[in-house]
Amino acid sequence: PGRLWVVHNVGIWRTQVTDSTTQVTWQDESRGLEQANVNDIIAPPGGAPNNVPISGVDKWGLFRHASLDSFPTQPLAATAGDTLQLDWSVSNPQFLVSTATNLPGYSQDGGRTWAQFAAIPAAVNGRGYYGGNIAVAANDTNNIVWIPTTDAPLVYSTNRGASWTTVNLPATPGLSTGWFNVEGLNRKILAADRVQANTFYAVNTSNNNSTVEGATLGASVGVWRSTNGGANWTKMFAGT
């Protein structure tokens, strides 16, 4: 008697109450349930204690896995919210970037602490910048490319997020840029080359329903590469 259970999208919780209870304390009973959806995990080279795996989890934010034998007990401070992707730089594996919705930004100490980008790109046609995919150049921690989950255009920065420049690929059918047209969609369409300097790759699917029979493909569909930090992009493969 007096035991209450609550289920919501981040787990299962239990409490015990009586008629005289004035303050309720909830106990998390989740153990590896799918409600804690891990969207991405990175493991920068070098190993503990400085370079350890970092995971991005729906609703919870970022977790730093200092030990592989136990679960972290708390997310990293101020990073709560959905996190779809992280990345690290070859030139400095302790430099990380993240699209955590509450703190899109970077870490310079292997994920222990995080700073928000000094600027967030202005919304385009009502589409703001959060979530989505992010990548940092192999040779330059100031050079970052971001494709948000809102289907806004790709942007790049050469000053660690102090300012951003928009890149518009050729027009696509309808209103979609061809990156994301479903907010919160988890997909991997952006990566930095781990060897070549200031080189990035991106996959555009035109109107995002290009697998539907009879769908019209736009000019931007395909695999794209930039060799100058995201400023200019060349189509390497035309999608079909």
Side-chain angles (χ1 to χ4, degrees), residues 73-233:
T73 57
Q74 294 290 332
L76 296 168
T79 67
D82 297 340
T83 301
L84 293 182
Q85 192 173 20
L86 305 105
D87 198 20
W88 55 274
S89 177
V90 172
S91 63
N92 178 8
Q94 288 197 62
F95 184 86
L96 317 177
V97 289
S98 160
T99 61
T101 53
N102 288 358
L103 190 75
Y106 60 90
S107 171
Q108 301 184 80
D109 56 10
R112 292 182 176 87
T113 61
W114 291 80
Q116 184 168 314
F117 294 131
I120 302 299
V124 176
N125 295 326
R127 298 166 179 162
Y129 279 78
Y130 59 87
N133 290 181
I134 197 165
V136 57
N139 63 310
D140 183 1
T141 58
N142 290 312
N143 187 193
I144 301 167
V145 174
W146 185 4
I147 302 176
T149 188
T150 57
D151 202 42
L154 176 153
V155 292
Y156 71 95
S157 175
T158 58
N159 52 17
R160 199 171 291 180
S163 62
W164 300 87
T165 302
T166 300
V167 177
N168 290 298
L169 295 184
T172 60
L175 298 177
S176 175
T177 63
W179 301 121
F180 292 82
N181 74 340
V182 178
E183 202 164 298
L185 181 66
N186 188 7
R187 64 192 330 200
K188 296 283 188 160
I189 58 174
L190 173 68
D193 195 298
R194 295 298 189 203
V195 177
Q196 300 296 322
N198 305 108
T199 299
F200 297 88
Y201 304 93
V203 178
N204 190 288
T205 56
S206 184
N207 53 6
N208 284 330
N209 64 353
S210 57
T211 57
V212 177
E213 186 176 356
T216 302
L217 299 180
S220 61
V221 65
V223 178
W224 295 77
R225 180 177 68 181
S226 173
T227 58
N228 61 354
N232 301 101
W233 293 79

Side-chain angles (χ1 to χ4, degrees), residues 26-42:
W26 293 93
Q27 172 68 38
D28 183 4
E29 294 294 335
S30 302
R31 297 294 184 272
L33 294 182
E34 64 84 21
Q35 279 83 353
N37 295 321
V38 179
N39 291 315
D40 197 16
I41 187 166
I42 58 173

